[in-house]
């Protein structure tokens, strides 16, 4: 690990001022950043500890939703009574990721901003356009088993590794962001992460000097909430395919179908056409095939990861069937 300076930000103004500098990175739980620093993938000149600036509360909102502070830990979020009661999908997704020790340290904001675990990104001796622009994407013709089949480019086929953001995408959460000049903005989780395109080094929409302060969940809705994660072992592994679903049926037909997918792209994947195809229709295998066709119409494998395309289809069938059975 290379030498670095360390400061504790005491206020939000301190934090935004510090991270406005090129060589400074914010650190909260450090569960991703410290690993990257040990591997010399990230080499900040200074760390700004933001743990003392507040934003650790989980609070009801006036419209019946829930505001989760950016510094609330994953454990605090997963076990919160309102999350367990009204947003069980989020609890299940968080508990499906990492270890208890990591969840005790990882924060809401940090979880959203975690970087890919692509083998080539994590190894500084390998080519990676995300780590070193212009060096190439080693995964395209290399080890690609965990990599993207949707939304990739000839610059990068890495996947976003998290679970929490997939659930938040299905729940249509909003990310609250502040900047050093006092500006504030709200971005849907569905739009927070970026696809690689020609700028694979950009993971999300945060600009220099901006900090996440909270994620807000809308008022809870009726229906079944499911999270299914398919992985190589039963725990402590990244998703090959994951699906977060909020599904409601009335009178034998779908009236809600909010679905988000993990393990398939550089970001949690949400395609509104799937809901449009399902809503108003009676459950059937043909309907599930139609939904899967929409999801995967532009899917492209790279050798080792081609199995993900059929796996995503089967997993979507299974999740929709489970939702229908539990709603009966």
């Amino acid at each position: 690990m290379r030498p670095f300076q360390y400061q504790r930000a005491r206020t939000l103004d301190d934090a935004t001022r510090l991270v406005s500098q090129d060589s400074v990175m914010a650190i909260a739980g450090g569960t991703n950043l410290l690993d990257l620093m040990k591997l010399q993938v990230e080499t900040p000149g200074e760390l700004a500890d933001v743990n003392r600036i507040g934003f650790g509360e989980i609070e009801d909102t006036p419209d019946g939703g829930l505001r989760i502070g950016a510094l609330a830990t994953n454990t605090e979020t997963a076990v919160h009574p309102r999350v367990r009661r009204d947003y069980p999908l989020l609890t299940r997704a968080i508990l499906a990721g990492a270890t208890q020790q990591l969840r005790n340290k990882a924060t809401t904001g940090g979880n959203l901003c975690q970087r890919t675990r692509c083998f080539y990104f994590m190894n500084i001796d390998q080519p990676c356009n995300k780590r070193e622009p212009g060096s190439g994407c080693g995964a395209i013709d290399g080890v690609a088993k965990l990599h993207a089949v949707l939304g990739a480019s000839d610059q990068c086929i890495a996947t976003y590794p998290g679970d929490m953001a997939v659930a938040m995408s299905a729940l249509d959460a909003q990310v609250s962001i502040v900047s050093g000049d006092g500006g504030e903005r709200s971005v849907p989780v569905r739009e927070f992460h970026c696809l690689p395109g020609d700028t694979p080094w950009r993971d999300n929409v945060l600009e220099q000097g901006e900090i996440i302060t909270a994620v807000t969940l809308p008022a809870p809705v009726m229906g079944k909430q499911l999270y299914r994660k398919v992985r190589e072992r039963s725990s402590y592994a990244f998703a090959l395919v994951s699906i977060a679903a909020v599904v409601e049926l009335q009178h034998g037909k779908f009236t809600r179908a909010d679905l988000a997918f993990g393990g398939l792209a550089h970001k949690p994947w949400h395609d509104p056409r799937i809901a449009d195809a399902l809503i108003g229709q009676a459950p059937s295998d043909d309907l599930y095939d139609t939904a899967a066709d929409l999801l995967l119409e532009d899917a492209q494998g790279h050798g080792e990861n081609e199995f993900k395309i059929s796996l995503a289809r089967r997993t979507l069938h299974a999740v929709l069937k489970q939702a229908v059975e539990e709603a009966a």
Side-chain angles (χ1 to χ4, degrees):
M1 183 182 290
R2 298 184 185 181
F4 59 91
Q5 300 297 313
Y6 172 86
Q7 286 196 57
R8 287 176 175 168
R10 302 293 180 180
T11 65
L12 179 59
D13 287 343
D14 279 349
T16 54
R17 173 180 56 80
L18 287 169
V19 300
S20 294
Q21 302 171 51
D22 288 338
S23 62
V24 180
M25 296 184 70
I27 185 169
T31 56
N32 184 206
L33 177 58
L34 290 180
D35 284 342
L36 296 178
M37 290 174 65
K38 291 173 184 177
L39 296 170
Q40 297 190 37
V41 175
E42 295 281 14
T43 55
E46 183 172 333
L47 294 182
D49 186 333
V50 299
N51 283 292
R52 290 165 175 77
I53 67 172
F55 306 107
E57 300 82 6
I58 301 177
E59 305 170 311
D60 295 342
T61 62
D63 63 355
L66 193 67
R67 180 179 173 88
I68 302 171
L71 290 171
T73 68
N74 284 178
T75 295
E76 290 168 340
T77 300
V79 304
H80 191 275
R82 273 215 63 200
V83 176
R84 290 171 63 89
R85 184 186 73 222
D86 295 333
Y87 310 97
L89 163 60
L90 181 55
T91 292
R92 292 169 186 151
I94 291 173
L95 295 180
T99 65
Q100 183 65 57
Q101 294 91 333
L102 289 174
R103 294 194 295 267
N104 288 344
K105 292 295 293 182
T107 62
T108 302
N111 191 305
L112 283 175
C113 294
Q114 66 180 299
R115 308 203 71 186
T116 183
R117 280 13 179 239
C118 170
F119 310 121
Y120 297 89
F121 173 72
M122 300 286 281
N123 186 340
I124 61 174
D125 295 324
Q126 297 295 322
C128 173
N129 287 320
K130 177 179 284 293
R131 190 187 66 250
E132 185 180 349
S135 63
C137 176
I140 289 179
D141 295 315
V143 179
K145 186 173 184 179
L146 296 178
H147 289 68
V149 295
L150 292 173
S153 73
D154 60 1
Q155 298 289 304
C156 178
I157 62 169
T159 50
Y160 175 77
D163 295 282
M164 184 193 76
V166 181
M168 287 183 169
S169 179
L171 293 167
D172 198 17
Q174 300 283 321
V175 184
S176 298
I177 300 168
V178 298
S179 59
D181 60 5
E184 299 182 19
R185 61 182 177 131
S186 182
V187 177
V189 167
R190 295 171 181 175
E191 299 174 11
F192 178 75
H193 298 95
C194 301
L195 293 176
D198 295 325
T199 56
W201 53 88
R202 184 163 193 182
D203 294 324
N204 55 59
V205 300
L206 286 178
E207 303 288 350
Q208 190 167 345
E210 289 188 323
I211 286 181
I212 298 172
T213 57
V215 175
T216 302
L217 303 174
V221 297
M222 300 296 291
K224 303 301 299 183
Q225 296 187 24
L226 303 174
Y227 188 73
R228 179 169 295 204
K229 181 176 182 179
V230 182
R231 45 191 165 177
E232 291 184 307
R233 57 182 185 267
S234 61
S235 62
Y236 311 150
F238 300 112
L240 297 171
V241 175
S242 64
I243 301 180
V246 182
V247 178
E248 182 183 10
L249 289 94
Q250 293 183 12
H251 309 298
K253 294 183 178 180
F254 288 102
T255 55
R256 177 179 293 275
D258 296 327
L259 300 166
F261 302 82
L264 298 179
H266 202 260
K267 61 182 290 183
W269 193 263
H270 174 264
D271 188 337
R273 299 177 304 163
I274 296 174
D276 292 341
L278 293 173
I279 291 174
Q281 303 297 316
S284 70
D285 285 340
D286 287 343
L287 182 63
Y288 305 156
D289 278 332
T290 297
D293 288 343
L294 290 171
L295 170 67
L296 299 166
E297 68 176 1
D298 294 323
Q300 179 181 354
H302 294 82
E304 287 188 339
N305 70 342
E306 290 179 357
F307 73 96
K308 282 192 174 187
I309 297 173
S310 59
L311 179 61
R313 179 178 295 275
R314 295 195 304 271
T315 306
L316 178 55
H317 269 252
V319 167
L320 291 174
K321 286 181 177 179
Q322 181 182 352
V324 171
E325 290 171 0
E326 293 188 5

